Amino acid sequence: MSQTGYRQFCPVAMAAEVLCTRWTMVLLRELIAGSSRFNELRRGVPRMSPSLLSRRLRELEEAGILTRRPVPEQPDVLEYHLTEAGQDLRPVIEAFGFWGQKWVESQPSLENLDPSLLMWDMRRGLNPAPLPERRIVVHLCYPELPASKRDCWLVVEPDGAVDLCQSHPGFDVDLYVTTDLRTMTAIWMGLTTVSSAADKIELDGDRAIARSMQSWLGLSPFASERKRVP
């Protein structure tokens, strides 16, 4: 953390010295969302360099906000878990998100498109309940992206576990979804719906899964907040 800081006794200033360094709040969002391993955290903050991620994790540990633990079956693998002080930040992070959803203009938000982050969020927000109780594979294609980022697959197991694959998982695909990244991001953020954007989405495959897409796709945890600005 900064060695100079604000030099104020005010608790707001003191908390800001810990929490308001670059990427820290976004990293805390990932930890609160359940990411615990380094590679999981990297997928949630794909534009954060590994060295800066390591530094921020170390600083949060020094501040008593998280702790490192070896995985029992894999002692060489570390997991990062929030302490009681870290868990107390949950309403703070949620308030940040709801404020941004409510008061930040939609169009600037939709200029910050990131396929890696979108798909990582969609993976953990997907609701398997409306889907058949068998393995379901959904292939999403964003034709405007470079070949290395154009295709991804969501694999939903019968027990509800969801995996995100960047290469073909080797299973039959139940539904092909072709759209542009901006449209899918807007749907995920709750700015539009699958039906409203139907002219920008091509669905091919299981008709029942296609019809129920809005219900199993899930939404950003902040999508319930009504926009107060365009």
Side-chain angles (χ1 to χ4, degrees):
M1 303 299 173
S2 171
Q3 297 301 311
T4 55
Y6 298 105
R7 297 188 178 182
Q8 291 188 355
F9 63 83
C10 170
V12 172
M14 295 166 65
E17 290 184 10
V18 177
L19 302 177
C20 292
T21 53
R22 182 169 173 78
W23 286 107
T24 298
M25 292 294 283
V26 181
L27 176 56
L28 286 167
R29 177 204 67 195
E30 282 303 302
L31 288 159
I32 286 170
S35 297
S36 60
R37 299 192 181 186
F38 193 87
N39 286 337
E40 292 176 342
L41 293 166
R42 283 204 66 194
R43 296 185 79 171
V45 286
R47 299 186 182 182
M48 187 180 188
S49 72
S51 59
L52 182 56
L53 174 56
S54 296
R55 188 192 317 163
R56 290 291 181 261
L57 289 169
R58 185 171 61 252
E59 290 170 348
L60 289 172
E61 183 178 19
E62 291 171 354
I65 291 172
L66 63 79
T67 183
R68 290 181 295 171
R69 304 176 193 165
V71 178
E73 302 80 10
Q74 301 171 278
D76 293 335
V77 178
L78 293 175
E79 289 186 337
Y80 299 88
H81 295 274
L82 294 169
T83 62
E84 182 180 359
Q87 290 292 348
D88 269 358
L89 287 168
R90 180 179 298 273
V92 177
I93 302 299
E94 290 175 348
F96 254 62
F98 283 118
W99 184 91
Q101 178 77 2
K102 185 176 182 179
W103 292 110
V104 175
E105 295 180 12
S106 302
Q107 295 311 308
S109 297
L110 290 175
E111 291 174 5
N112 297 318
L113 300 177
D114 188 325
S116 298
L117 177 58
L118 174 64
M119 294 309 304
W120 186 242
D121 276 349
M122 287 172 59
R123 177 202 64 85
R124 63 185 169 206
L126 190 145
N127 174 21
L131 294 170
E133 293 185 6
R134 58 178 174 83
R135 178 183 291 123
I136 302 297
V137 180
V138 179
H139 174 208
L140 293 103
C141 178
Y142 304 109
E144 79 277 19
L145 298 185
S148 61
K149 298 182 178 181
R150 184 176 304 154
D151 299 286
C152 50
W153 291 259
L154 290 168
V155 180
V156 186
E157 298 293 350
D159 63 0
V162 183
D163 193 17
L164 172 62
C165 302
Q166 302 298 326
S167 58
H168 198 296
F171 307 121
D172 291 339
V173 175
D174 296 277
L175 182 66
Y176 294 86
V177 180
T178 304
T179 186
D180 61 276
L181 184 60
R182 186 184 182 91
T183 296
M184 186 58 74
T185 303
I187 292 171
W188 169 251
M189 292 176 64
L191 303 176
T192 188
T193 63
V194 173
S195 59
S196 297
D199 61 330
K200 298 180 179 179
I201 305 174
E202 181 182 339
L203 302 176
D204 185 21
D206 189 299
R207 292 184 179 181
I209 296 175
R211 284 195 301 268
S212 63
M213 181 174 172
Q214 186 69 66
S215 59
W216 56 255
L217 183 65
L219 292 172
S220 159
F222 307 111
S224 61
E225 185 66 46
R226 184 173 65 89
K227 275 286 185 187
R228 294 291 296 275
V229 293

